[in-house]
């Protein structure tokens, strides 16, 4: 069921087996996974079913580092989260992304990509993607062929496209019907209160914008408010830990990563435009379910030799002269 938290009385205590904070892609997916099961689930969402200016304003913040998007425009704070304006581009991480690399400080995961493959397959269903297949051959046909490249220097890889899935719309009915899932809208988690040892949570302090406060006690808590907001909430929960929860090593929020992008140059073809279809248009996946698009990537051996982060190049059309000039601005060489 879906409940408006503005009707919850001041000082109310809610109890659950699992409390999920945030009803975006991660929170809704987990709630669906638990729907119909034996566990009592409480899902807290800061916003409502539609956008609300007062709630959206809670995302405001000051950026003091590299230039970045406005924090209250980049993300959406209502049921479904940022999937409400997500573009739908999907691709799993590559093997090298999990590896310890001497030129990348603090790199190296405790497991490899193979550990995530079963979950990537399940995520494909949730995101309404095609088969879990990222071989470029899956989108090639007689009219869409990859470039003939020196594979030791450059390779063609691909992404897939979700419709894109608007989680709040697509999965709302399933959560409304789930007898063991209570979704509270307009419920802002404002403090994560730990047990005395600090190694587990006792409860979550929640509040509405109207000022009413209530608590949620659970056996397990899941923080699913997104990369930036997870860190903000952990750091703000400093009543028992001066530096915030889970921040004994001062690392919470230190490893945020965006899709860093920049114009790399112009590709002026001497061949017919049709030869670029694989790279500039959505192509149907083999079997007819789902769409993908090719792009150019550096092989792992090149990334290691040149001590680079993983990178890929898209080939968007630049049809107008001004667009061409803008793309080439600041680029030393034009290819």
């Amino acid at each position: 069921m879906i409940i408006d938290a503005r009707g919850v009385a001041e000082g109310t205590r809610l109890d659950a087996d699992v409390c999920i904070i945030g009803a975006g892609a991660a929170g809704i997916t987990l709630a669906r996974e638990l729907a119909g099961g034996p566990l009592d689930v409480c899902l807290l969402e800061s916003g409502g079913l539609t956008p609300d200016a007062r709630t959206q304003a809670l995302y405001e913040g000051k950026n003091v580092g590299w230039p970045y998007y406005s924090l209250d425009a980049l993300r959406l704070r209502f049921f479904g989260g940022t999937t409400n304006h997500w573009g739908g581009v999907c691709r799993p991480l590559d093997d090298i992304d999990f590896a310890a690399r001497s030129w990348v400080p603090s790199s190296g995961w405790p497991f490899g990509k193979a550990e995530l493959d079963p979950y990537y397959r399940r995520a494909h269903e949730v995101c309404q993607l095609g088969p879990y297949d990222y071989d470029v051959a899956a989108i090639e046909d007689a009219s869409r062929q990859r470039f003939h490249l020196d594979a030791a220097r450059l390779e063609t890889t691909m992404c897939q496209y979700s419709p894109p899935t608007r989680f709040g719309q697509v999965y709302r009915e399933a959560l409304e019907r789930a007898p063991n899932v209570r979704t509270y809208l307009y419920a802002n988690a404002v403090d994560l209160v730990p047990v005395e040892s600090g190694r587990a949570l006792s409860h979550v302090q929640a509040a509405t914008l109207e000022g009413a406060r209530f608590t949620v006690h659970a056996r397990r808590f899941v923080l699913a408010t997104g990369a930036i907001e997870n860190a903000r909430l952990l750091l703000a929960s400093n009543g028992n830990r001066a530096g915030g929860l889970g921040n004994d090593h001062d690392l919470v929020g230190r490893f945020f990563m965006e899709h860093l992008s920049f114009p790399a140059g112009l590709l002026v073809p001497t061949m017919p435009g049709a030869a670029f279809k694989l790279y500039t248009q959505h192509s149907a996946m083999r079997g007819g379910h789902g769409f993908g698009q090719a792009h150019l990537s550096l092989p792992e051996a090149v990334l290691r030799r040149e001590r680079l982060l993983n990178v890929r190049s898209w080939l968007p059309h630049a049809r107008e002269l001004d667009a061409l000039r803008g793309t080439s601005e600041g680029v030393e060489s034009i290819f």
Side-chain angles (χ1 to χ4, degrees):
M1 70 180 71
I2 295 182
I3 303 165
D4 190 328
R6 293 173 296 187
V8 176
E10 170 75 27
T12 295
R13 168 176 169 153
L14 303 176
D15 290 278
D17 294 309
V18 180
C19 175
I20 304 168
I21 304 169
I28 287 177
T29 298
L30 182 55
R32 286 183 63 244
E33 191 76 12
L34 299 175
L39 299 178
D40 183 31
V41 179
C42 176
L43 175 60
L44 300 180
E45 167 54 43
S46 173
L49 296 174
T50 57
D52 172 80
R54 290 181 65 208
T55 301
Q56 186 65 22
L58 296 175
Y59 268 155
E60 292 178 357
K62 183 179 181 181
N63 177 34
V64 296
W66 288 91
Y68 193 56
Y69 304 100
S70 173
L71 294 182
D72 58 330
L74 175 70
R75 304 166 295 151
L76 297 180
R77 201 175 177 112
F78 64 100
F79 190 68
T82 303
T83 70
N84 285 299
H85 71 182
W86 172 46
V89 181
C90 295
R91 179 178 169 82
L93 295 171
D94 294 323
D95 290 328
I96 193 173
D97 299 319
F98 296 83
R101 288 151 286 169
S102 61
W103 66 96
V104 183
S106 302
S107 62
W109 290 34
F111 54 81
K113 177 177 175 290
E115 188 81 13
L116 293 184
D117 280 332
Y119 301 99
Y120 278 136
R121 293 181 186 277
R122 295 175 67 185
H124 262 238
E125 297 181 16
V126 177
C127 293
Q128 302 175 308
L129 293 162
Y132 185 52
D133 184 357
Y134 287 84
D135 183 339
V136 179
I139 57 172
E140 282 186 300
D141 58 31
S143 67
R144 300 168 188 267
Q145 294 289 313
R146 74 187 83 182
F147 298 151
H148 298 291
L149 303 168
D150 179 352
R153 302 176 64 187
L154 197 62
E155 62 185 1
T156 295
T157 51
M158 64 168 284
C159 64
Q160 287 197 40
Y161 284 90
S162 168
T165 305
R166 305 300 184 208
F167 280 59
Q169 299 172 24
V170 174
Y171 299 119
R172 172 182 168 181
E173 184 179 351
L175 295 185
E176 283 182 319
R177 290 189 285 103
N180 64 316
V181 179
R182 291 169 291 154
T183 300
Y184 287 88
L185 303 177
Y186 302 104
N188 298 283
V190 295
D191 194 15
L192 307 176
V193 183
V195 297
E196 187 173 350
S197 68
R199 300 186 62 83
L201 288 189
S202 163
H203 61 276
V204 171
Q205 180 76 51
T208 66
L209 290 181
E210 287 66 34
R213 289 182 171 251
F214 59 95
T215 59
V216 182
H217 295 249
R219 293 163 49 200
R220 295 288 186 271
F221 295 86
V222 178
L223 196 53
T225 60
I228 295 175
E229 220 58 27
N230 278 353
R232 289 173 103 182
L233 184 53
L234 287 167
L235 294 174
S237 299
N238 56 7
N240 297 75
R241 294 288 187 277
L245 285 184
N247 198 33
D248 294 346
H249 300 285
D250 192 32
L251 294 177
V252 171
R254 298 291 189 194
F255 295 95
F256 175 69
M257 183 67 179
E258 240 297 348
H259 301 293
L260 298 177
S261 61
F262 58 91
L266 297 178
L267 183 64
V268 182
T270 58
M271 62 189 76
F276 284 73
K277 279 185 179 180
L278 195 71
Y279 300 86
T280 59
Q281 300 176 10
H282 292 191
S283 302
M285 295 285 292
R286 183 169 45 208
H289 179 61
F291 294 89
Q293 186 172 330
H295 40 247
L296 301 176
S297 300
L298 295 178
E300 181 172 330
V302 174
L303 296 175
R304 290 186 176 280
R305 184 178 68 244
E306 302 296 335
R307 300 168 67 87
L308 298 171
L309 292 174
N310 207 345
V311 63
R312 62 198 73 254
S313 297
W314 299 82
L315 302 179
H317 280 297
R319 299 183 183 278
E320 303 293 336
L321 183 58
D322 287 345
L324 293 174
R325 289 171 175 160
T327 304
S328 63
E329 183 178 354
V331 178
E332 294 181 1
S333 58
I334 298 177
F335 301 95

